[in-house]
Structures are given as structure tokens and as C-alpha cells.
Amino acid sequence: MNLQFIEARDLGDAWFQTLYRILEQGTVFKIDRGSYEGQKRLEFDWVTIQIRNPGVRPLLPQIESHYNIPNPVSDDYLDSYVPYLMTGELKPGESYTYGQRMTNILVSNIWSTTYNSKEYKDILIQDKEVWEKIHNNDEILNQIELLIWTYKNKGHRNNQMILQVGQPTDILLQDPPCLRHIDTRIQDGKLHFYPYFRSWDLWGGFPANLAGIQIMKEYIASEIGVEDGEIIASSKGLHLYDYSFDLAKVLRMKEDMELKEGK
């Protein structure tokens, strides 16, 4: 396995570095099942990207206009993407959204009746005052709100505050969520995020996802009362499809030519 680590200044730097690294270290293979079945893509075996200052604006990568290559994500895209990430709204035809999985799950859908007895609750439930409020009123589980509450009321140092997106039944879906979870940590007074993607489109998905996740992190940090921290993202399926593979090669070639010319 070819494991890659990239350290970046900000989100834009992370995208450009990762794009150029995959041209050097990625593996080409044919997709047997899933999105774009039968096509080829260039993929990392595993990659971890540490982004030191993800809050630097602009959040989306900007390609020099004279290259005549469009930016991977339009500047106004985040206006619609952030609600997808942070609210529970489902549109017709959607089986889930990341936001729905993190903020709008009925407790009755996730908690087996086997565990409803007092005996099990005394053993399993950590913060009973929170559980009773949610369960007795058949309320939804909002992981973001509960994460904020826990950090504010129970202290910063624990390894339990992870925003879960994936669930076991996803293996049945035609298009299971690519984002599986966002782990979190508060250290040195800063909130850090650790998102993991099972599969991840590097050209457009990577910059849009990380920009949205950064906005969410800034909101959560402000609610807790800590500073904004790093993003350490990882994936065993970060890739370029055929069409973006060619765009990446052209972009790299143009930048190399300018460097040689001293521009």
C-alpha cells in the first residue's frame, strides 16, 4: 500500500498539493461497481491531509484566470451546500443527506426496544438527563447540538465526540454516503476536525466538502467558546475521474511552464 501524507497551509493549498500528488502517486483502475461503473479513475491507496489554517479565505481554490480552466467549485456553491451539511431537510428523491444523518434522526429509529428497559438504560446511557429529554418526547437526535452541549458541560478532554454519518444499512444503498464520520478533538483551546471519506472526488467534491465542513467547524467552535483549529482529513478512495484527470494534467503543465519561465 502506498500511503501518502500532505501538509497544507489552507484549503486552497491542500487542493493544489493533493491534485499534483495524485498525478505522481495515484493508481489507475477500472470501477467495477458504483458511480461511473466501467470507467477508469486515478486513486490514492490512502491519503491523509493536514490543513493547518483551514479558515483562511477564500475557502474554495482559485485557478488563475489566464489558464482558461474553470474553478473546481463556483463561488456561490456553498450557499446551497452548507444547509445540506448542517440541516435535516430531505428533498424528493433523496434517501439521506449528511445534515439529515447528523441532525435529524428519530431516536426510535436507532434505539432498539431491547434497550428501553431501566436495566439497560442504567448500564448504557451516559448522560441520563439528555437521554430522558430526547426519548420521552420522541425527539430527534441532533448530534451537532449534543456535541456542543457535551463539550460545554462535560469538559473538553474525551475521545467520544464523533459526528456519525455512516450506518450499517448503508451497504444496501445504491449510493451510500461518501462521508462516514467527522471525528473531533479540542486541544490547546482549539477545535480540530478529522473527517473520513470512504470515496472522494478530488476535483470538485474535495474542495466543496472541506469548505462546508470548515464553516460548520467555525460555527461549532464559536458555540462552544473555543478557537477554530485544524482539519486532518483522510480517505482510502480519494480519486480523479477521467474528465478531471485531463484537466489536472493541463493545469500542472501550465504551472510548470510558468515556473520555468520565471513568471
Side-chain angles (χ1 to χ4, degrees):
M1 297 289 284
N2 183 2
L3 311 184
Q4 295 292 314
F5 175 76
I6 295 169
E7 184 177 357
R9 298 185 309 273
D10 50 42
L11 294 181
D13 182 44
W15 185 75
F16 282 104
Q17 280 202 58
T18 307
L19 192 68
Y20 298 155
R21 182 75 65 86
I22 202 171
L23 295 177
E24 301 167 354
Q25 300 292 333
T27 301
V28 177
F29 72 96
K30 190 179 81 169
I31 304 167
D32 293 326
R33 185 184 182 191
S35 301
Y36 300 93
E37 181 177 329
Q39 295 187 22
K40 292 182 179 179
R41 66 186 177 201
L42 183 67
E43 188 167 274
F44 286 114
D45 293 343
W46 176 272
V47 63
T48 298
I49 306 106
Q50 181 180 16
I51 307 164
R52 295 287 191 178
N53 299 290
V56 172
R57 265 54 175 181
L59 296 178
L60 297 171
Q62 305 294 307
I63 299 174
E64 296 288 345
S65 59
H66 63 273
Y67 288 163
N68 294 317
I69 297 174
N71 288 329
V73 182
S74 63
D75 291 336
D76 60 353
Y77 179 76
L78 291 179
D79 293 339
S80 60
Y81 183 71
V82 171
Y84 170 89
L85 189 65
M86 294 185 62
T87 71
E89 181 184 359
L90 277 179
K91 296 179 181 178
E94 291 180 331
S95 58
Y96 68 88
T97 67
Y98 294 157
Q100 180 260 340
R101 288 288 182 89
M102 287 189 284
T103 70
N104 191 22
I105 296 292
L106 279 173
V107 171
S108 58
N109 289 345
I110 59 172
W111 193 258
S112 168
T113 54
T114 306
Y115 300 140
N116 282 338
S117 69
K118 183 179 185 302
E119 175 188 0
Y120 274 108
K121 283 191 288 186
D122 287 343
I123 295 172
L124 299 177
I125 300 301
Q126 188 164 209
D127 297 308
K128 294 183 177 60
E129 67 272 31
V130 177
W131 167 254
E132 294 296 341
K133 178 179 182 298
I134 294 173
H135 186 262
N136 290 343
N137 296 308
D138 198 27
E139 291 187 1
I140 61 172
L141 173 63
N142 187 319
Q143 295 183 73
I144 293 177
E145 289 184 359
L146 186 52
L147 180 144
I148 292 169
W149 182 91
T150 303
Y151 273 136
K152 290 179 70 173
N153 292 278
K154 300 296 182 178
H156 293 172
R157 200 60 183 183
N158 71 75
N159 288 327
Q160 298 182 349
M161 293 297 100
I162 181 170
L163 299 171
Q164 301 278 4
V165 176
Q167 59 188 33
T169 52
D170 287 340
I171 199 168
L172 299 172
L173 297 179
Q174 291 185 22
D175 185 22
C178 293
L179 175 64
R180 307 307 291 173
H181 65 252
I182 302 174
D183 210 344
T184 75
R185 164 168 287 180
I186 295 177
Q187 186 161 315
D188 301 323
K190 295 182 179 181
L191 175 65
H192 307 286
F193 268 15
Y194 305 79
Y196 171 73
F197 287 80
R198 63 164 183 84
S199 184
W200 205 5
D201 170 32
L202 174 52
W203 187 262
F206 178 98
N209 295 148
L210 289 184
I213 287 171
Q214 171 60 23
I215 291 173
M216 180 170 71
K217 179 160 64 67
E218 292 172 354
Y219 164 76
I220 294 174
S222 68
E223 290 293 304
I224 297 170
V226 295
E227 295 181 37
D228 179 53
E230 300 182 15
I231 290 178
I232 300 94
S234 58
S235 177
K236 64 98 175 73
L238 185 58
H239 58 264
L240 287 174
Y241 292 110
D242 284 344
Y243 74 93
S244 53
F245 182 44
D246 291 335
L247 286 172
K249 287 192 293 185
V250 171
L251 179 59
R252 180 61 183 271
M253 179 185 67
K254 288 178 179 287
E255 288 208 348
D256 286 346
M257 287 176 61
E258 288 199 352
L259 286 173
K260 288 179 181 178
E261 294 170 0
K263 293 183 179 180

